[in-house]
Amino acid sequence: MHIINSNGVKYTTKGVIGLNYVERYNNWLNNPYFDEDTKSELLSISGNKKEIEDRFYRDLEFGTGGLRGIIGAGTNRINRYVIRKTSQGLANFLTKNNKTVSIVIAYDSRHKSREFAQESACVFAQNNIKTYLFDELRPTPELSYAVRYLNCDAGIVITASHNPKEYNGYKVYGKDGGQLPLDLSNALLEEVNSIEDITSISTMDFDMALSKGLIKIIGAEIDHAYISYLKTLSVTKLDSAFLDSCRLIYTPIHGAGNKPVRAILKEVGFNNVYIVPEQEKPDSNFSTVKYPNPEDRAVFELAIQMAKEKDVELIIGTDPDCDRVGVVVRDKKGEYVTLTGNETGCLLLEYILSNLRAQDKLPENAFVVKTIVTTELAKKIADEYNVKMLDVLTGFKFIGEQILIRDEQGDEKFIFGFEESYGYLAGTDVRDKDAVVASMLIAEMFAWYKSKGLTLYDALISIYEKYGYALDFQDFFTLKGKEGVEQIQNAMVFLREKKPANMGDTKIEVIRDYETGIQTHIKTGVEEPLDLPKSNVIYYETQEGFWVCIRPSGTEPKIKIYYGVSGNSSENAHKSLEKLRDDVLSEIKPLLE
């Protein structure tokens, strides 16, 4: 069924019927529904055909982490109207089978985060949905916790995680506090796409919604409950006097972690925590960094300088919505080195499992979870403690899903989950990566090893000596605009159809194509079904026992290439990685040029 709005324009699930991107641009420019600031921005690009096309050739799409895009006017940007449409779709989705619905909303320090959060709340209020809105910025994991604590039907957080300052996003959480699984996110997407006329969406005045009790402002009560819960996840206890000697530096990188991370560290006994002053306060421009990603050593430059001045061994940094955490440690030469996400994850896994076993607290039905692009070293650690290791698709939503299936609904006990992209989780009252609990565990682990005369760098080397030297790496290529999206899609199609028996001199033994759901043995041609959901991911196992994984990003205009090698020494592993990368890139780069 088509809808004709007040201007006589027809709409479908894909946008305006019969209108190309220029006509859609003109519709936004002339329709009285859109505000003057939006029209002024659109006027500023008048005549710029490429920019108009990029803003209007499609609707902004959901990825593995929800909706994410550049802030700006247009259907392929994130703005108050795209936020309204997504919120109305979510409202329709929630009220389809349930008339009494509640939702909780959080937001981070990004441009327009508070505005978009309020815009969402006003759409929900108009749909008679009780909405809890945090009084100021909060970490994404606290939103996940709040969904369960308040017994809400859903939650959203306005954030673009570690993306550059030009971005913002919209992440949706289900009743269990986890990101929506594929079947539900697809159902939600259908509801969003079924809104044929964006100008038909109405909102309730914010103050009116407050007076009617449809919007309730929350804050301190949830903070207290969340921090109290995280404290129960502490693994080891040390004397308070000794903890006073364990000094560390923390930076929230201008984001939402400042208050909760400092609170939990203080609660577990760390009283000597230095904060990087230039990065302490929320700052939508992230003015001290190029982009606020703790995977990038550059964000720690100020912290490293402070660590040298204060003779501190450990630095912890969290991203704007405080779901990812990066770590810098001092090595034997006195140099400050950044740990990879895999290294931090393996350190935490070894620390948690070894101490739980020593305390006779490790359940027989314990399990841990990692993603398919996360180091295989974690599997060796889990095997050492007779703990089941589960592999899931990339995206922490799949780790949270395993907690729901195996812990909440089954008879297994979740212990720990992590991914190579600096996301970690312990406990089950939060169902997404949690940099607050991870910061607590990292500080605690640092103190525990220090009590034994060891640094975290010493502990990492001991893991490699015990289990073998594993080395992982990631390349990515950013291809912006419509042409970039098509180029990435074409590259994946080519690789999927070619099924290469080798890349350069590296021979491929097995190809796992998660989009077709088929695993192919190259020598024999034998095909077997894969037991994970379908996703646009291709995974290669080499004859040397190494692996390569290629996938488009679900939230950014990037194609990512992951590598994993192992060896009997650091030097051997680095040589293997260098050769593997050279061979793979010789095949991939021509597809992206």
Side-chain angles (χ1 to χ4, degrees):
M1 177 179 175
H2 301 148
I3 293 177
I4 302 177
N5 74 1
S6 58
N7 295 318
V9 179
K10 285 185 177 181
Y11 287 82
T12 68
T13 59
K14 295 300 182 185
V16 184
I17 293 179
L19 295 189
N20 60 30
Y21 64 87
V22 175
E23 291 169 324
R24 296 180 82 180
Y25 164 76
N26 286 329
N27 182 58
W28 273 53
L29 196 58
N30 297 310
N31 195 314
Y33 182 77
F34 300 100
D35 65 71
E36 291 306 313
D37 286 343
T38 296
K39 293 178 180 180
S40 177
E41 181 180 336
L42 292 175
L43 279 172
S44 73
I45 61 168
S46 176
N48 188 336
K49 183 178 178 180
K50 188 171 184 179
E51 178 69 14
I52 293 171
E53 180 183 29
D54 189 53
R55 287 174 181 249
F56 285 97
Y57 83 95
R58 67 171 185 174
D59 291 337
L60 193 62
E61 295 180 348
F62 266 75
T64 54
L67 196 69
R68 193 176 299 181
I70 296 172
I71 300 167
T75 58
N76 189 35
R77 293 290 187 269
I78 193 158
N79 50 66
R80 66 193 305 180
Y81 304 106
V82 170
I83 291 289
R84 284 181 187 178
K85 181 179 178 181
T86 307
S87 298
Q88 185 62 56
L90 179 55
N92 295 344
F93 172 76
L94 293 173
T95 57
K96 207 166 194 176
N97 300 308
N98 189 355
K99 298 303 179 187
T100 305
V101 175
S102 62
I103 192 166
V104 56
I105 304 175
Y107 57 92
D108 70 2
S109 60
R110 289 181 173 273
H111 287 295
K112 295 187 179 293
S113 282
R114 184 179 181 86
E115 175 188 324
F116 291 162
Q118 291 186 352
E119 195 77 54
S120 302
C122 291
V123 171
F124 297 135
Q126 183 68 21
N127 286 269
N128 202 37
I129 293 174
K130 176 67 177 289
T131 303
Y132 299 91
L133 176 64
F134 275 102
D135 56 0
E136 62 178 12
L137 72 168
R138 290 298 192 288
T140 289
E142 186 170 352
L143 180 280
S144 174
Y145 177 84
V147 172
R148 298 170 63 83
Y149 180 84
L150 295 169
N151 195 28
C152 287
D153 297 279
I156 66 170
V157 58
I158 305 297
T159 180
S161 190
H162 58 291
N163 281 58
K165 65 181 180 180
E166 296 83 9
Y167 284 76
N168 214 326
Y170 186 109
K171 293 175 71 173
V172 182
Y173 291 79
K175 190 175 181 66
D176 70 319
Q179 292 182 51
L180 292 183
L182 289 176
D183 57 339
L184 294 182
S185 61
N186 287 336
L188 169 59
L189 191 55
E190 286 183 13
E191 290 290 345
V192 174
N193 285 339
S194 71
I195 299 172
E196 297 178 319
D197 181 4
I198 198 171
T199 68
S200 68
I201 301 169
S202 59
T203 66
M204 184 177 290
D205 176 76
F206 185 77
D207 290 333
M208 181 181 291
L210 282 173
S211 67
K212 287 187 173 184
L214 285 168
I215 295 178
K216 180 180 179 181
I217 305 300
I218 58 172
E221 178 188 343
I222 310 297
D223 296 341
H224 177 73
Y226 174 57
I227 295 298
S228 296
Y229 161 68
L230 295 185
K231 192 175 178 180
T232 68
L233 301 174
S234 177
V235 175
T236 58
K237 303 286 191 265
L238 293 171
D239 179 78
S240 60
F242 178 77
L243 287 178
D244 284 341
S245 70
C246 299
R247 301 178 303 134
L248 62 107
I249 289 172
Y250 168 65
T251 172
I253 314 177
H254 306 295
N258 186 37
K259 291 182 179 180
V261 170
R262 293 171 75 171
I264 191 59
L265 291 177
K266 187 170 184 63
E267 280 291 318
V268 295
F270 290 91
N271 294 312
N272 288 314
V273 178
Y274 302 105
I275 311 301
V276 179
E278 299 92 336
Q279 298 176 333
E280 179 180 3
K281 299 280 179 68
D283 177 1
S284 300
N285 289 317
F286 310 115
S287 54
T288 65
V289 297
K290 185 176 180 181
Y291 67 114
N293 189 349
E295 298 178 55
D296 182 7
R297 179 183 172 88
V299 304
F300 291 106
E301 286 181 359
L302 291 170
I304 290 172
Q305 184 59 42
M306 179 184 280
K308 291 176 179 177
E309 293 169 358
K310 296 186 177 296
D311 190 29
V312 171
E313 297 177 23
L314 173 66
I315 301 167
I316 296 173
T318 55
D319 69 343
D321 68 323
C322 198
D323 64 352
R324 298 172 191 247
V325 59
V327 179
V328 181
V329 299
R330 194 164 61 189
D331 66 12
K332 288 186 177 297
K333 298 178 182 177
E335 306 269 340
Y336 287 90
V337 297
T338 54
L339 300 184
T340 67
N342 282 319
E343 288 172 335
T344 299
C346 286
L347 276 166
L348 285 168
L349 185 60
E350 174 75 15
Y351 165 72
I352 292 168
L353 294 183
S354 64
N355 277 286
L356 288 181
R357 185 168 72 176
Q359 298 166 17
D360 199 26
K361 293 181 179 178
L362 187 60
E364 291 185 5
N365 60 348
F367 73 97
V368 296
V369 194
K370 72 176 185 68
T371 65
I372 58 174
V373 296
T374 299
T375 179
E376 289 300 305
L377 179 59
K379 175 71 164 57
K380 295 181 180 180
I381 296 172
D383 288 345
E384 170 72 14
Y385 297 96
N386 295 316
V387 171
K388 180 187 291 185
M389 169 63 75
L390 302 176
D391 273 317
V392 296
L393 289 176
T394 305
F396 222 90
K397 63 192 296 179
F398 298 108
I399 295 177
E401 189 176 38
Q402 289 302 317
I403 299 174
L404 175 64
I405 295 169
R406 294 175 179 270
D407 192 313
E408 186 174 327
Q409 299 175 353
D411 59 357
E412 297 178 67
K413 180 63 178 174
F414 173 77
I415 301 298
F416 186 66
F418 80 101
E419 60 185 2
E420 46 71 41
S421 54
Y422 294 59
Y424 316 95
L425 177 65
T428 59
D429 281 10
V430 172
R431 298 294 170 88
D432 203 354
K433 51 187 174 286
D434 186 347
V436 186
V437 75
S439 295
M440 178 193 79
L441 290 171
I442 290 164
E444 184 179 284
M445 173 173 66
F446 157 69
W448 185 78
Y449 278 114
K450 186 178 178 67
S451 72
K452 301 184 178 305
L454 299 170
T455 66
L456 282 181
Y457 185 81
D458 294 330
L460 179 63
I461 298 304
S462 70
I463 286 176
Y464 286 141
E465 290 176 348
K466 181 177 180 180
Y467 299 104
Y469 282 81
L471 196 58
D472 300 87
F473 194 79
Q474 179 188 145
D475 281 315
F476 65 84
F477 297 89
T478 300
L479 301 168
K480 295 183 178 180
K482 179 183 177 184
E483 295 83 0
V485 171
E486 291 173 348
Q487 204 169 354
I488 290 171
Q489 290 173 345
N490 291 338
M492 294 301 293
V493 169
F494 177 84
L495 292 169
R496 184 162 281 118
E497 292 178 350
K498 184 181 179 183
K499 290 188 174 67
N502 59 277
M503 288 189 176
D505 295 330
T506 296
K507 297 187 183 303
I508 306 300
E509 192 163 272
V510 176
I511 300 176
R512 301 185 216 158
D513 187 341
Y514 286 96
E515 185 164 271
T516 63
I518 295 173
Q519 175 173 276
T520 303
H521 295 263
I522 296 299
K523 276 187 179 179
T524 63
V526 172
E527 294 183 344
E528 300 167 335
L530 294 166
D531 60 358
L532 292 180
K534 291 188 177 181
S535 184
N536 191 12
V537 178
I538 305 175
Y539 190 104
Y540 302 91
E541 298 177 25
T542 76
Q543 287 188 355
E544 297 89 350
F546 306 150
W547 60 269
V548 179
C549 185
I550 303 174
R551 74 174 187 96
S553 170
T555 56
E556 301 170 86
K558 293 180 179 180
I559 187 167
K560 297 184 176 183
I561 307 170
Y562 304 81
Y563 313 85
V565 302
S566 58
N568 54 18
S569 69
S570 176
E571 182 182 8
N572 178 260
H574 275 90
K575 285 182 178 179
S576 295
L577 176 62
E578 183 178 357
K579 181 180 183 304
L580 182 61
R581 284 186 68 208
D582 287 345
D583 285 346
V584 171
L585 292 178
S586 71
E587 299 287 336
I588 302 300
K589 276 187 174 181
L591 302 178
L592 305 174
E593 294 173 346

